[in-house]
Every structure is written in structure tokens, then in C-alpha cells.
Amino acid sequence: MPTVRIKLDSSVTAFLKRMLQGIFESLQESGRVRGYLPEAEEDQEFWVEGLRDENLEALDTLLNFVKSENFGRRKVEISEDSLFSLMKACSCVRLHLRETALLDVSDEELENPSIESVLFKGPQSEVYVVYSLLAYIQSTAVEAASRL
């Protein structure tokens, strides 16, 4: 079974758990879970509903991963299916953050941060930290998947 190890301070782990729980609840309530949509309009409702359900399941996998006892301290064993759901959930949440709270931040600043871009003010700084932590989790999960 694949393992993923994320090394984080306990205060960062607690922060991430709290923030992800809020984001997850917001996405559930709003139904805004983004992903690929087909071009044909007659199938769109079917695709959107299925995509929403798949992404909510992936988000649940991410929350369970972050809430696991070993998260932030030791390796966490995760099934192969859950590993891919974890990567999908990280992408989904990062895309949501990019299109909402980080909308006015350039792609360059998000993907190649300078010290100035890290010094956001207020709630945007917390969102940026979550965005960056999810990128870290996602890249670690990709590394684990490459070893399969």
C-alpha cells in the first residue's frame, strides 16, 4: 500500500484541518465543485451531478487524510484509489481557491512566490498558505504514485 509522508508543525496541521473543514463545508453547501464539463448541453446536468459527487468524495478523502492520526508526523498509508482521489481533491480545492479568494493574485505569484507575494494581508494570507500546503500534499502524492 502506498505511503505519503507530510512533515508539518502541529500548529500548521491544526490550521490546515480547520481551514479545509470550512472550505469543504462551503463547497458542499454551494454545490460549487469544479471540473471538466462536456460540450454537449443535453448531457451537462448528468456530467455536472456525477462530477460533483466524485469531487465531494475526493474532498472527503482529503479531509480523512489530513485528520489521520499520523498526518504531519509520520507516514500515512493510503490505498491506491485514495491516493488518486487525494491528488484530485488537492487540485479541486486549489482551483476553487484560485477562482475565489486568490482571484486577484497572478498565476506567476501563486506558482513562483516571491517574498512580497507571501506577505498578503488578512484572510488572503491564510488562503495562500492553504493553497501552498495543498500543492505540497499534491506533489508528495504524485511522488508516491510514481513509485507504484
Side-chain angles (χ1 to χ4, degrees):
M1 186 173 296
T3 60
V4 178
R5 183 173 186 166
I6 306 293
K7 296 179 186 178
L8 297 172
D9 183 83
S10 61
S11 63
V12 174
T13 301
F15 164 78
L16 183 60
K17 288 177 186 178
R18 187 181 82 251
M19 292 292 290
L20 284 178
Q21 186 65 46
I23 291 167
F24 182 68
E25 289 169 5
S26 170
L27 286 170
Q28 275 186 311
E29 289 170 12
S30 70
R32 283 199 57 185
V33 184
R34 174 112 189 245
Y36 169 77
L37 297 177
E39 304 246 346
E41 288 186 29
E42 68 271 3
D43 292 337
Q44 192 162 358
E45 188 174 319
F46 169 78
W47 279 94
V48 169
E49 187 175 309
L51 178 65
R52 183 176 116 14
D53 292 344
E54 283 179 25
N55 285 346
L56 287 173
E57 286 177 23
L59 290 170
D60 195 41
T61 299
L62 173 60
L63 271 180
N64 289 333
F65 177 76
V66 171
K67 289 180 177 180
S68 69
E69 184 179 319
N70 289 338
F71 179 79
R73 299 180 300 150
R74 291 186 217 98
K75 291 180 181 179
V76 177
E77 284 192 357
I78 187 168
S79 72
E80 189 173 328
D81 288 342
S82 292
L83 181 63
F84 290 103
S85 288
L86 179 65
M87 290 185 281
K88 182 178 186 174
C90 288
S91 293
C92 179
V93 175
R94 291 178 75 217
L95 180 60
H96 171 71
L97 296 177
R98 177 73 189 101
E99 293 178 341
T100 56
L102 298 172
L103 189 60
D104 61 337
V105 181
S106 73
D107 289 336
E108 179 69 24
E109 287 176 305
L110 285 174
E111 301 305 325
N112 302 305
S114 63
I115 190 65
E116 293 83 20
S117 64
V118 175
L119 299 176
F120 294 118
K121 304 249 188 296
Q124 194 176 38
S125 64
E126 290 182 343
V127 174
Y128 180 76
V129 169
V130 172
Y131 183 90
S132 298
L133 289 171
L134 289 172
Y136 171 52
I137 292 169
Q138 189 173 15
S139 69
T140 305
V142 167
E143 285 177 31
S146 72
R147 294 189 299 266
L148 294 177

